[in-house]
Amino acid sequence: MSGTTQKTVTITLDGTNRKLTIPLMSGTAGADVFDIRKLYNELGVFTYDPGYGATASCESKVTYIDGDVGILQYRGYPIEQLAHHSNFLEVCYLLLNGELPNKAKADEFTKGVMHHTMLHEQIRSFYNGFRRDAHPMAVMCGVVGALSAFYHDSLDINDPESRRISAFRLIAKLPTIAAWAHKYTIGQPFMYPRNDLTYAENFLYMFHAVPTEEYKVNPVLSRAMDLIMILHADHEQNASTSTVRLAGSTGANPFACIAAGIASLWGPAHGGANEAVLKMLADIGHVDNIPEFLSEVKDKNNHAKLMGFGHRVYKNYDPRAKIIQQACHDVLKELGIEGDPLLDLAMALEKIALTDPYFIDRKLYPNVDFYSGIILKAMGFPTSMFTALFALSRTVGWITQWQELIQDPEQRIGRPRQIYTGPAERDYVGMADRT
Ligand code: CMC
């Protein structure tokens, strides 16, 4: 691991003379970390950290978050600058390669990724195995996992070229998989990808177009789509990324690892929150009902949460939420939607929550999911697609982190320990002697 400092801490196990000096490591930015790898061998104890709130699971050069001030950077570049100046495939290049591309490299990368947008024709038949009302995330988990049965030529995780092609395949095919999940549900023909369009345009085309009519991509909507993808592209060691890394640490192939990431993202505490926010807003229904809803949220005996609020790392406004809130206004204006009731309700809810001591004391602020559902709904996406859109945008982050893991000489199979609190050893009792 890089960045060892001169600082150490020495701990002595009470009642023994066993001591361990633990080195403190420093990264480029962020809190220092204790390197506790020798703890068990030297002192015979583990650390206890459910939810890993105080544990750095790896060294990473990809994404940096300072949750106290609300900073998010990909490879050092602030998310605000990338959102303003960049485009999704350029961000993909940056995440995967560590640097922004020059024109020639950007063109080559775009061509390289877009070359892989088609799915193996036999994958079409997978869709027929699902019920028409299958949730798109269920379809995504299944179809992405199945990619490993189709692309045997890029499964060697120790071969850099195989890893590169798998990354391209995943980034390129996820929009096709997601768009087809929707088309299958509504009974429309699958639209084949068009590589003459940009990544975001191609997705909107596959999602909205039908073979019988010309489809013109609205540039404001494709820019909003691109922006949403940039904002969701990576977020360091969150639950789904850690799932991808854990699966990857066993040597599993990249398609299987990304399928695991999609499954992990689905939960309402993580990527499923964007869908849950819209359901919550629909349930609240009117500004007048906000106080009653918030008192339910604050009631310890009630499991309700203010969805789209709170974050393990951000104890300040999520910078992505700020950008997406502005984009929401732009998209609604472009679509001629004046005073969208959902947006009005969300903004009123945010305002009330941000002045409520419960949320102030706990440093609970809007996260990216608070406004993303509203913009996605305005863009014509059904609620069930929201998390699928998150998954397709996050695929580049997952595959980048997976690549980093595979190339990290310090990584071993991920294998947490536990405090066992079950019964102590006891003898088997025959059925006849049991009470
Ligand atoms: N509504 C009401 N209370 C909350 C909320 C919320 N959304 N989030 C946290 N709290 C309370 C929590 O009950 C706890 O209270 P107390 O100290 O009285 O026990 C306190 O705030 C600290 O919360 P925590 O549970 O320790 O926080 P965590 O880091 O374990 O959980 C979270 C983070 C994101 C899972 C949680 O804030 C949450 O469930 N939020 C709603 C779901 C959501 O919006 N998820 C999207 C996250 S951002 C995008 C992504 O990562 O996918």
Side-chain angles (χ1 to χ4, degrees), residues 174-417:
L174 258 288
T176 317
I177 294 171
W180 285 14
H182 171 67
K183 289 294 190 193
Y184 180 73
T185 299
I186 60 170
Q188 285 185 359
F190 294 162
M191 299 299 288
Y192 284 85
R194 275 188 42 195
N195 295 353
D196 58 321
L197 300 176
T198 68
Y199 189 89
E201 286 170 349
N202 173 50
F203 175 66
L204 292 174
Y205 165 79
M206 288 189 291
F207 193 87
H208 291 299
V210 287
T212 46
E213 285 169 21
E214 194 192 350
Y215 176 78
K216 278 211 170 78
V217 184
N218 178 329
V220 174
L221 298 192
S222 67
R223 175 61 196 140
M225 190 74 249
D226 201 70
L227 178 75
I228 290 164
M229 289 173 173
I230 291 173
L231 296 181
H232 287 87
D234 194 49
H235 213 231
E236 53 116 308
Q237 309 310 319
N238 55 83
S240 56
T241 302
S242 297
T243 304
V244 169
R245 278 186 175 260
L246 199 56
S249 78
T250 70
N253 73 68
F255 302 106
C257 295
I258 302 304
I262 294 171
S264 171
L265 185 76
W266 195 356
H270 193 8
N274 51 16
E275 193 176 334
V277 168
L278 272 230
K279 190 180 173 308
M280 174 188 76
L281 292 174
D283 288 347
I284 296 172
H286 194 273
V287 178
D288 293 349
N289 301 329
I290 291 176
E292 189 191 334
F293 171 73
L294 287 183
S295 56
E296 280 170 25
V297 163
K298 292 186 279 183
D299 179 359
K300 279 277 162 220
N301 301 316
N302 197 320
H303 292 295
K305 282 236 157 38
L306 174 50
M307 300 310 287
F309 255 68
H311 198 274
R312 170 62 59 81
V313 182
Y314 293 119
K315 300 300 165 201
N316 204 322
Y317 217 106
D318 178 340
R320 302 168 300 173
K322 270 190 198 153
I323 300 169
I324 224 161
Q325 192 204 40
Q326 182 53 46
C328 242
H329 289 289
D330 297 346
V331 164
L332 292 173
K333 194 168 158 218
E334 164 65 19
L335 297 174
I337 304 173
E338 298 284 333
D340 176 60
L342 273 186
L343 183 59
D344 292 346
L345 182 58
M347 283 174 27
L349 181 55
E350 176 192 334
K351 204 170 161 195
I352 297 173
L354 288 179
T355 51
D356 185 315
Y358 175 94
F359 296 93
I360 295 171
D361 294 349
R362 290 169 179 74
K363 298 187 176 160
L364 301 171
Y365 289 86
N367 60 51
V368 67
D369 291 314
F370 194 69
Y371 287 106
S372 64
I374 296 168
I375 193 170
L376 291 173
K377 182 168 178 288
M379 290 170 73
F381 292 108
T383 319
S384 61
M385 276 304 293
F386 293 178
T387 313
L389 289 168
F390 193 157
L392 84 83
S393 315
R394 181 57 58 83
T395 295
V396 64
W398 289 330
I399 200 72
T400 302
Q401 301 263 353
W402 173 82
Q403 290 254 31
E404 191 176 62
L405 165 104
I406 298 295
Q407 292 169 80
D408 183 347
E410 304 224 322
Q411 278 301 315
R412 304 192 295 159
I413 185 167
R415 195 352 182 144
R417 303 305 295 250

Side-chain angles (χ1 to χ4, degrees), residues 140-159:
M140 303 267 282
C141 287
V143 176
V144 173
L147 293 179
S148 44
F150 287 86
Y151 300 105
H152 295 144
D153 59 333
S154 64
L155 294 185
D156 181 358
I157 63 166
N158 297 314
D159 172 31

